[in-house]
Amino acid sequence: IDYQYKMAHFSLLLVLLCTACHASQENINKPLAGSFVYGFGTENGPQTLTKISTLDGTSTPISKPLMKELAAQELSSIDNTKGVYYLLEYNETSQQPSLIGLSTTDGSVTVDIKLPFTELAFVGVGQYVAADPVTNCVVIAGQDSTVKGYHVIEVCPFAGATIKTIAEIPAPNVGLLGSSSIVDYVNGFFYADMPLAPPGTKPEWDAEFNHKVKRNPDLTLEVTSEPRVKRGSQPPPPPVPKFEVDIVAVQYKGVNKGKVDIIRQNPDEGKYISTLAFDAKREKVVGFGVEQTSSGYNKTLVMLSGPVNTQFTRIGYVPSQYKGEMGPITAVNQAARVHYSLLQTVTPWVPSDDCKKQGIQCPTGSLCCMLPPDHGACFNVKSCAELSVQGPFDLVGLSLDTAELVGKAPRICSIQDFKCPWSIEAPNN
């Protein structure tokens, strides 16, 4: 299901993958480590910073609603040493992307820096952000027509806030919907999944259109094109520039600062990771992977080492009851060694009269379906069984060592209530 909104709203990316394996009963019965994660925003508001309980999923607001700011999924990062939750936002007044920093204590705006990027037809697509809790600087990347690719910059909000270029990466103007980025702050690498030109080809840059790519469950790619400037009579879009989605590793500190390495992905060879987080103990990138089988796919938790001697290593299989994920929204609690994400169970929808009880009259040709205990909603389907993949989302904690469930994951939101957080980050000392 793809809820697509231009500018103010974004596609809700559900990666629906068949999985195998199940967690041990021992780990399931343990209380979920860490009492909360931070979360920001929902699809239809309010856009506030909250604490989300890892025990029961309840949200407690920290900040007042952030006005005039639009955000994309998981364009966030956290600097726990400074107590700042960072967001890449598009300001409706200035019509310019900005780096916003919210205090994790009271939610007040402590950082507001305008960025040298031009927002494309889709807010946040083609942009990346990751904070270093050691240097207290933030690494940001965005598509830039002046370099015909990605402009990677660094800004240190508490040390002058001067914007400095780290690297320029030639690339086609294809932005990834549901992108991820992270810093390995121990070894000084900034990682991001970016659409790049295939090996041996020159990046193509289309001056008239912007292109957005979404990864589908079967690993195929779906592209949407929009003109940069709206005209009364619009010509059809040209062919989409050739691209593939790979991992970029940029050395952002140290003697090799500015060096760019490309980690090519190939799911058929087990070289694939779709979300990026950082395991400080192992000094490795972690995220979700996919293993193809004769009957579908297995969802895995994967460890990536690189860019030197690159290896993709399966940590374990994600528990089988979880079939989908809420885009790239993930976080890691370093002390507890827990990887958090919003995962979806496949639970059958059933016909209901709950819509009528709520005073909602479903249009002719639609049905009222519900996923107990949530309220029902109207859907344009012939049978509620068609909605079997639209289950609720749980705040799932997985062991960084085994991928087993840690604790009982609380339900946090569902498709019809639009209360899923737009990003999450974990508190770490």
Side-chain angles (χ1 to χ4, degrees), residues 22-78:
H22 61 275
S24 69
Q25 191 64 40
E26 178 184 1
N27 271 359
I28 291 177
N29 290 335
K30 291 180 180 178
L32 192 58
S35 61
F36 71 93
V37 293
Y38 295 107
F40 180 80
T42 59
E43 186 172 354
N44 61 352
Q47 305 305 322
T48 59
L49 182 64
T50 61
K51 284 185 177 181
I52 304 172
S53 169
T54 57
L55 301 178
D56 60 18
T58 56
S59 295
T60 304
I62 299 174
S63 71
K64 295 179 180 179
L66 196 61
M67 308 303 292
K68 301 294 184 181
E69 300 287 349
L70 309 175
Q73 277 186 334
E74 200 56 15
L75 269 184
S76 68
S77 189
I78 192 167

Side-chain angles (χ1 to χ4, degrees), residues 300-372:
T300 59
L301 191 63
V302 173
M303 179 171 56
L304 168 64
S305 60
V308 180
N309 299 321
T310 300
Q311 288 185 323
F312 291 79
T313 305
R314 185 206 317 128
I315 297 172
Y317 291 100
V318 175
S320 60
Q321 65 264 42
Y322 291 108
K323 305 295 185 182
E325 66 192 61
M326 177 66 80
I329 301 176
T330 62
V332 165
N333 186 309
Q334 304 290 352
R337 297 198 52 70
V338 177
H339 177 280
Y340 291 107
S341 60
L342 304 186
L343 297 185
Q344 180 187 49
T345 56
V346 174
T347 308
W349 289 72
V350 295
S352 174
D353 61 355
D354 185 65
C355 300
K356 186 176 181 180
K357 293 178 180 178
Q358 296 179 73
I360 300 173
Q361 182 64 44
C362 290
T364 302
S366 64
L367 294 178
C368 179
C369 306
M370 72 179 296
L371 196 73

Side-chain angles (χ1 to χ4, degrees), residues 100-121:
I100 302 294
L102 303 179
S103 165
T104 56
T105 301
D106 59 15
S108 60
V109 177
T110 58
V111 175
D112 188 349
I113 301 172
K114 291 182 174 58
L115 301 174
F117 301 131
T118 300
E119 198 72 43
L120 305 180

Side-chain angles (χ1 to χ4, degrees), residues 144-376:
D144 189 336
S145 59
T146 64
V147 302
K148 293 187 176 181
Y150 289 93
H151 190 184
V152 184
I153 62 175
E154 178 186 55
V155 59
C156 303
F158 301 97
T162 302
I163 295 175
K164 299 178 182 179
T165 294
I166 298 175
E168 296 177 352
I169 304 171
N173 62 322
V174 179
L176 178 62
L177 176 68
S179 59
S180 293
S181 58
I182 196 69
V183 291
D184 169 353
Y185 50 81
V186 179
N187 299 294
F189 287 103
F190 167 77
Y191 291 93
D193 50 1
M194 293 180 174
L196 302 174
T201 65
K202 184 179 180 180
E204 304 171 23
W205 188 271
D206 182 359
E208 298 294 327
F209 281 78
N210 294 312
H211 308 282
K212 175 190 70 173
V213 60
K214 182 187 77 171
R215 289 179 282 202
N216 289 323
D218 59 0
L219 301 183
T220 59
L221 302 175
E222 181 180 332
V223 180
T224 302
S225 301
E226 286 288 332
R228 290 178 183 270
V229 180
K230 297 289 186 180
R231 300 184 177 92
S233 178
Q234 192 69 48
V240 176
K242 295 182 179 64
F243 72 93
E244 62 181 37
V245 180
D246 293 311
I247 305 298
V248 172
V250 180
Q251 189 90 49
Y252 71 94
K253 61 183 180 181
V255 295
N256 293 319
K257 184 173 182 177
K259 185 177 185 293
V260 178
D261 289 287
I262 307 300
I263 300 173
R264 299 291 180 178
Q265 299 202 93
N266 187 335
D268 293 336
E269 298 177 358
K271 299 176 181 178
Y272 181 77
I273 188 168
S274 63
T275 62
L276 304 178
F278 182 57
D279 180 349
K281 180 180 178 180
R282 285 177 168 167
E283 300 179 15
K284 298 290 190 296
V285 175
V286 293
F288 290 124
V290 173
E291 290 186 3
Q292 298 177 334
T293 69
S294 58
S295 59
Y297 304 89
N298 288 336
K299 192 181 187 69
T300 59
L301 191 63
V302 173
M303 179 171 56
L304 168 64
S305 60
V308 180
N309 299 321
T310 300
Q311 288 185 323
F312 291 79
T313 305
R314 185 206 317 128
I315 297 172
Y317 291 100
V318 175
S320 60
Q321 65 264 42
Y322 291 108
K323 305 295 185 182
E325 66 192 61
M326 177 66 80
I329 301 176
T330 62
V332 165
N333 186 309
Q334 304 290 352
R337 297 198 52 70
V338 177
H339 177 280
Y340 291 107
S341 60
L342 304 186
L343 297 185
Q344 180 187 49
T345 56
V346 174
T347 308
W349 289 72
V350 295
S352 174
D353 61 355
D354 185 65
C355 300
K356 186 176 181 180
K357 293 178 180 178
Q358 296 179 73
I360 300 173
Q361 182 64 44
C362 290
T364 302
S366 64
L367 294 178
C368 179
C369 306
M370 72 179 296
L371 196 73
D374 292 333
H375 283 297

